[in-house]
Amino acid sequence: MAPHPSGARAVQVTHETEQPFPGASDDEVTCVASAPPSPTRVRGYCAEAEGGNCRGAARKLRARRGGRSRPKSELALSKQRRSRRKKANDRERNRMHNLNSALDALRGVLPTFPDDAKLTKIETLRFAHNYIWALTQTLRIADHSLYGLEPPAPACEELGSPDGSLYSPVSQAGSLSPATSLEECPGLLAPVSPACLRPGALAFSDFL
DNA sequence: TAGGCCATCTGGTCCT
DNA sequence: AGGACCAGATGGCCTA
């Protein structure tokens, strides 16, 4: 499903002015070191923090409170927090825009038909992964035929994706249809001419 | 209307 | 101290 084929999107209204910091209060400073991470968040979580023994936690706490610098008024602190948050939001937005630009560039080099709906992010990544894998297999086979060697009876891990299956590993886990195996895709099994690899020669549905 | 996709905000963590 | 990165939450848009 491609919900935004046109790519048109209404500009969202930022919440910055209406609700600058829901839940943001000075309490946030006091619970920084002890707040447990979400289940999926593992990186950097200091287990000792809960017992109060986390090395550096106190230092960080002090740093967040402003260290030895002159204490600021609540108003100034609030202003500073707001300003920092706003800047962080801008950076984050910019970062995501860069990420999307890179994703668009990736879409641009993937073979799709002009009237294909725009690939979603996850589709783009899976397609790229499968496409690279297919090209790698193609080159390998082309190498063998070029030097007059019989293509070796492919071991399972050779014919299939790196995990030994016939399907692309990403597709396996995902909801999209599995990638075609080389056997199902004779065009990829035969020694290919460069023309066969030109963008557009293969539809993305061959790789998803 | 439900579900998928997306942009944005947010707070936590790590790094310089 | 501040920036980068990450993941969760939220709300809007779109399609089946």
Side-chain angles (χ1 to χ4, degrees), chain A residues 133 137 154-169 172:
Chain A
W133 169 79
Q137 298 299 311
C156 189
E157 59 270 18
E158 263 187 298
L159 178 60
S161 51
D163 68 349
S165 70
L166 284 178
Y167 300 128
S168 161
Q172 267 189 316

Side-chain angles (χ1 to χ4, degrees), chain A residues 124-200:
Chain A
T124 302
L125 291 176
R126 286 183 175 139
F127 183 16
H129 181 279
N130 292 338
Y131 185 53
I132 290 169
W133 169 79
L135 290 181
T136 303
Q137 298 299 311
T138 301
L139 282 178
R140 189 178 298 181
I141 292 167
D143 267 357
H144 281 297
S145 62
L146 195 64
Y147 293 105
L149 300 170
E150 281 295 310
C156 189
E157 59 270 18
E158 263 187 298
L159 178 60
S161 51
D163 68 349
S165 70
L166 284 178
Y167 300 128
S168 161
V170 269
S171 295
Q172 267 189 316
S175 58
L176 297 168
S177 59
T180 14
S181 73
L182 289 180
E183 284 171 329
E184 293 165 334
C185 189
L188 288 176
L189 261 183
V192 291
S193 69
C196 294
L197 292 179
R198 78 187 191 281

Side-chain angles (χ1 to χ4, degrees), chain A residues 16 20-21 23-30 64-65 72-89:
Chain A
E16 201 71 49
F21 294 98
S25 71
D26 286 348
D27 291 344
E28 77 178 20
V29 176
T30 58
R64 288 199 108 202
R65 283 177 166 150
K72 294 177 178 170
S73 71
E74 270 315 297
L75 186 66
L77 273 176
S78 168
K79 246 183 173 177
Q80 190 188 38
R81 272 200 296 265
R82 204 171 314 205
S83 157
R84 275 211 283 258
R85 213 342 86 201
K86 193 173 187 317
K87 277 206 281 186
N89 288 348

Side-chain angles (χ1 to χ4, degrees), chain A residues 42 45 105 129 148 186 195 205:
Chain A
V42 176
Y45 176 55
H129 181 279
S205 55

